[in-house]
Amino acid sequence: MAEGPNEMSSYDNHYIAVDWGTSRMKAYLCEFNDDLCVTILDEVTCAGVQKKRGEFAQTFLRATAEWRLKYGALSVLMAGQIASSIGWRESPYVACPVAPADIIEASISFSCEQHDIFMLPGLSCQLANGHFDVMRSEDVQVLGWLQAEPSHRQGRYLICLPGTHTKWVLVNNGIIEVFKTAMTGELYDLLSTSSVLIQSAAVDFDQNCFDEGAQYTISSVSGSLIHGLFSVRTKQLFEGMDANQASSYLSGLLIGSDVRAAVNAQEWDISVLNGIVVVGEDHISRLFQQILQSQIAQVSLYAGKLASVQGFAAIRQRQLVSQVF
Amino acid sequence: MAEGPNEMSSYDNHYIAVDWGTSRMKAYLCEFNDDLCVTILDEVTCAGVQKKRGEFAQTFLRATAEWRLKYGALSVLMAGQIASSIGWRESPYVACPVAPADIIEASISFSCEQHDIFMLPGLSCQLANGHFDVMRSEDVQVLGWLQAEPSHRQGRYLICLPGTHTKWVLVNNGIIEVFKTAMTGELYDLLSTSSVLIQSAAVDFDQNCFDEGAQYTISSVSGSLIHGLFSVRTKQLFEGMDANQASSYLSGLLIGSDVRAAVNAQEWDISVLNGIVVVGEDHISRLFQQILQSQIAQVSLYAGKLASVQGFAAIRQRQLVSQVF
């Protein structure tokens, strides 16, 4: 019988990595070369957990059908909200501080049409004020950044991961110590589409208006966000901003507020870090970098997709051959 | 010909007061007695500006049809978003500081089926940071409170008006000096219905959870709101809060943040006021009062509906007989 969709794969160097979040699922078909460097052979995206409730197996199988035809049922690594209580299977939360190896060991596994699926756990931590925090899948990007250079695993780094929720992650000698979540991206989406502040969708980014918003919140006294948001409307009434410019101004207000809170967080001392790194998509990462650099020294960038793929690769390597971290 | 809907009214002591906001229109049929005290004879409510775009005359005439049958076409005072660029007619913004008389003089008037309609202006001001702020109709409540007692027109008072947007208004010797807007109510609505924080609608208010949220933001260092909001979710994951309790906790977080910003505002010195008054509906007013009193001395309450009706009455009196303010 020919190799087909229901056959285990003999392609040991191939696997599928899936970052399946609330709003989007990104799947990568990956291959290791002889040096254990990873190549992305193909990738697909589709709607996230929120849009596909209860149709997860079907969604996964449809998205990866071509790969299965060619390679059989490859092993799969999955992370994100897909592993939460509203996802396909629920994996546990592992409490920080955690080493990368602890994350891998807390994975759950199950089969789907002969695919071995490894669902990574979430991470939890307790903040200085006693509140808990959680993340799912951003830690894979942190792992990807950690394994990129031996120097990343020595010293204290603050990793900023912009997104629907910004995650600020403190790593110390390769251990994820603690992290904080800000609702920045979600607030932007809600306020720019469903509030009185802005009446029409943004079409372009306006750097000057972004700077004006960021400058306001980054340099403000406490409490400026809840009292400052309304300026998004009054700048359109009295200062000639159009709705498009107001969207960039709002983005600046929110990111400025987020960065200000991170710079002043009780969980770390920003002045005694070995580095600050923004891991994410290029445009949004540069905005965070710009505001961070207005407050502190050099901030570096690291591509979010690269970090994600490298993080999954490091986990897969550990499964296959030896200890990577 | 009998008096009917298209006749001018001979009921000089009667008038209609309309607070027509974004989400709700409230119309009161009012009558002065011989001492110029006002009685509400009847009242109606219907959907606000957002739901009735372009059908304003029709909506008003339908809502007040019974009154017109009985009293003819009474004079009408209107305030709120109905007088904004997205309303029926646009009245100007009057810049603070303003005396009550200035507000009345900036009204615009027009006719609708023999009703004389007086549309009150909006108010604008410039904040310490140079931003502008605006309000429409809350100033009518401030006028109502001002005319309730001669002592209210002597000294400095901070008036807090909770609502979709909280307005904090500084009055000094009867003059509206400056005010600030917070998006508190609108943020609560967006975050409790359309975000990842809460998955089902609140059914009850939980005082303990409210207190916990308020305590967190009122006593926190700067920036806690954008980083603190996610605790609404993690308290459900790790601390056993249900969605209902989480809604009250979120309300506490937001109102605590709003009050903290007001207490620390650059536009006034909270320690040299003659009084702080919360003007609004009973439940929400008591929540603001409670948090304010945890920070400063005695805070009094004043019923929002009473303030509104008295404010319109003071304006009507001035039109009819003499200077009230």
Side-chain angles (χ1 to χ4, degrees):
Chain A
M1 186 176 157
E3 188 171 281
N6 285 332
E7 294 291 314
M8 286 289 285
S9 176
S10 57
Y11 287 84
D12 282 348
N13 289 335
H14 293 65
Y15 64 97
I16 297 171
V18 185
D19 181 349
W20 199 331
T22 308
S23 53
R24 207 156 51 130
M25 180 266 234
K26 287 166 278 185
Y28 304 100
L29 173 64
C30 300
E31 179 185 15
F32 285 124
N33 66 16
D34 292 340
D35 300 327
L36 285 178
C37 286
V38 69
T39 307
I40 302 173
L41 300 179
D42 197 9
E43 56 188 275
V44 292
T45 63
C46 67
V49 170
Q50 213 151 41
K51 290 269 172 61
K52 295 277 185 190
R53 283 204 170 187
E55 300 170 21
F56 301 122
Q58 199 181 343
T59 301
F60 168 74
L61 291 170
R62 200 180 299 132
T64 58
E66 283 189 25
W67 305 345
R68 197 158 41 257
L69 274 176
K70 186 160 181 189
Y71 300 99
L74 295 169
S75 287
V76 182
L77 299 175
M78 259 184 209
Q81 288 300 310
I82 193 66
S84 76
S85 59
I86 58 164
W88 190 353
R89 299 280 174 107
E90 190 174 357
S91 66
Y93 287 104
V94 183
C96 287
V98 303
D102 302 331
I103 298 175
I104 297 164
E105 271 160 30
S107 298
I108 60 167
S109 63
F110 60 97
S111 292
C112 173
E113 299 283 327
Q114 298 205 23
H115 285 283
D116 286 328
I117 298 186
F118 297 91
M119 206 85 118
L120 293 167
L123 263 54
S124 69
C125 69
Q126 202 162 6
L127 303 174
N129 62 16
H131 289 172
F132 289 90
D133 211 327
V134 291
M135 68 174 165
R136 284 193 180 273
S137 92
E138 293 89 350
D139 51 308
V140 175
Q141 293 182 295
V142 174
L143 264 53
W145 177 83
L146 277 174
Q147 65 79 52
E149 295 262 358
S151 68
H152 294 175
R153 301 190 289 279
Q154 293 180 340
R156 291 168 72 79
Y157 294 88
L158 184 62
I159 319 289
C160 166
L161 303 113
T164 302
H165 295 171
T166 316
K167 301 287 180 180
W168 296 89
V169 184
L170 181 70
V171 292
N172 187 22
N173 294 329
I175 306 290
I176 297 180
E177 294 277 350
V178 70
F179 56 87
K180 299 191 81 165
T181 300
M183 303 271 292
T184 312
E186 187 167 6
L187 279 173
Y188 175 79
D189 289 343
L190 287 172
L191 290 170
S192 62
T193 60
S194 308
S195 81
V196 299
L197 294 180
I198 293 170
Q199 303 296 321
S200 61
V203 285
D204 286 315
F205 179 74
D206 186 305
Q207 183 71 46
N208 288 338
C209 292
F210 176 85
D211 291 347
E212 190 178 341
Q215 183 56 36
Y216 171 42
T217 45
I218 197 73
S219 62
S220 65
V221 293
S222 61
S224 60
L225 185 62
I226 201 161
H227 278 206
L229 282 172
F230 198 58
S231 62
V232 176
R233 175 147 168 79
T234 56
K235 282 190 180 284
Q236 295 170 79
L237 288 172
F238 290 96
E239 296 181 57
M241 268 193 191
D242 61 27
N244 187 59
Q245 293 171 317
S247 297
S248 297
Y249 174 76
L250 171 62
S251 174
L253 278 186
L254 292 169
I255 297 179
S257 177
D258 185 358
V259 169
R260 184 170 199 280
V263 167
N264 294 299
Q266 292 173 69
E267 285 75 11
W268 45 75
D269 180 346
I270 206 92
S271 67
V272 296
L273 296 170
N274 295 79
I276 299 181
V277 189
V278 184
V279 177
E281 290 177 10
D282 189 59
H283 177 68
I284 189 81
S285 291
R286 287 186 189 280
L287 297 178
F288 273 84
Q289 179 190 42
Q290 169 201 328
I291 305 177
L292 276 162
Q293 288 188 166
S294 75
Q295 302 300 303
I296 43 177
Q298 198 62 23
V299 174
S300 59
L301 297 179
Y302 199 84
K305 180 176 165 181
L306 178 65
S308 186
V309 169
Q310 286 180 335
F312 280 116
I315 292 164
R316 181 63 182 157
Q317 278 180 43
R318 188 183 168 89
Q319 285 185 323
L320 286 177
V321 286
S322 67
Q323 211 158 318
V324 175
F325 295 102
Chain B
M1 187 177 156
E3 189 171 280
N6 285 331
E7 294 290 316
M8 287 289 286
S9 177
S10 57
Y11 288 84
D12 282 348
N13 289 335
H14 294 65
Y15 63 97
I16 297 170
V18 186
D19 181 349
W20 200 332
T22 308
S23 53
R24 207 156 52 127
M25 181 266 235
K26 286 166 279 186
Y28 304 100
L29 173 64
C30 299
E31 180 186 13
F32 284 124
N33 67 16
D34 292 340
D35 300 328
L36 286 179
C37 287
V38 70
T39 307
I40 303 173
L41 300 179
D42 197 9
E43 55 188 277
V44 293
T45 63
C46 67
V49 169
Q50 213 151 39
K51 289 269 170 62
K52 295 280 183 186
R53 284 204 170 186
E55 300 170 21
F56 301 122
Q58 198 181 343
T59 301
F60 168 73
L61 291 170
R62 200 181 298 133
T64 59
E66 282 189 25
W67 304 345
R68 197 159 42 257
L69 274 174
K70 186 160 180 190
Y71 299 100
L74 295 169
S75 288
V76 182
L77 299 175
M78 259 184 210
Q81 288 299 311
I82 193 65
S84 75
S85 59
I86 57 164
W88 191 353
R89 299 280 174 108
E90 190 174 356
S91 66
Y93 287 104
V94 183
C96 287
V98 303
D102 302 331
I103 299 175
I104 297 164
E105 271 159 30
S107 297
I108 60 167
S109 63
F110 61 96
S111 292
C112 174
E113 300 282 327
Q114 299 206 23
H115 285 283
D116 287 328
I117 298 186
F118 297 91
M119 207 85 118
L120 293 167
L123 262 55
S124 68
C125 70
Q126 203 162 7
L127 302 174
N129 61 17
H131 289 172
F132 288 90
D133 211 326
V134 292
M135 69 175 163
R136 285 192 180 273
S137 93
E138 293 90 350
D139 51 310
V140 175
Q141 294 181 294
V142 174
L143 264 53
W145 177 83
L146 277 173
Q147 65 81 51
E149 295 262 0
S151 67
H152 294 175
R153 301 190 289 278
Q154 294 181 337
R156 291 167 72 80
Y157 293 88
L158 184 62
I159 319 289
C160 167
L161 302 114
T164 303
H165 296 171
T166 316
K167 302 287 181 179
W168 297 89
V169 184
L170 181 70
V171 293
N172 186 23
N173 295 328
I175 306 291
I176 297 180
E177 294 276 350
V178 69
F179 55 88
K180 299 191 81 166
T181 299
M183 304 270 293
T184 312
E186 186 167 7
L187 279 173
Y188 176 78
D189 289 342
L190 286 172
L191 291 170
S192 62
T193 60
S194 308
S195 82
V196 298
L197 294 179
I198 293 169
Q199 303 296 320
S200 61
V203 286
D204 286 315
F205 179 74
D206 186 305
Q207 183 71 47
N208 288 337
C209 293
F210 175 86
D211 292 347
E212 189 178 341
Q215 182 57 35
Y216 170 42
T217 45
I218 197 73
S219 62
S220 66
V221 294
S222 61
S224 60
L225 185 63
I226 200 161
H227 279 205
L229 281 172
F230 198 58
S231 62
V232 176
R233 175 147 168 77
T234 55
K235 282 189 180 286
Q236 295 170 79
L237 288 172
F238 290 95
E239 296 181 58
M241 269 193 191
D242 62 27
N244 188 58
Q245 293 171 317
S247 298
S248 297
Y249 175 76
L250 171 63
S251 174
L253 277 186
L254 292 170
I255 297 179
S257 177
D258 186 357
V259 170
R260 183 170 200 279
V263 167
N264 293 300
Q266 292 173 68
E267 285 76 11
W268 44 76
D269 180 347
I270 206 92
S271 67
V272 296
L273 296 171
N274 295 78
I276 299 180
V277 190
V278 184
V279 176
E281 290 177 11
D282 190 60
H283 177 69
I284 189 81
S285 291
R286 287 186 188 280
L287 298 178
F288 273 84
Q289 179 191 40
Q290 169 202 329
I291 305 177
L292 276 162
Q293 287 188 166
S294 75
Q295 303 300 303
I296 43 177
Q298 198 61 23
V299 174
S300 58
L301 297 180
Y302 199 83
K305 180 176 166 182
L306 179 65
S308 185
V309 169
Q310 286 180 335
F312 280 116
I315 292 163
R316 182 62 182 157
Q317 278 180 42
R318 189 182 167 91
Q319 285 184 323
L320 286 178
V321 287
S322 67
Q323 210 157 320
V324 176
F325 295 103

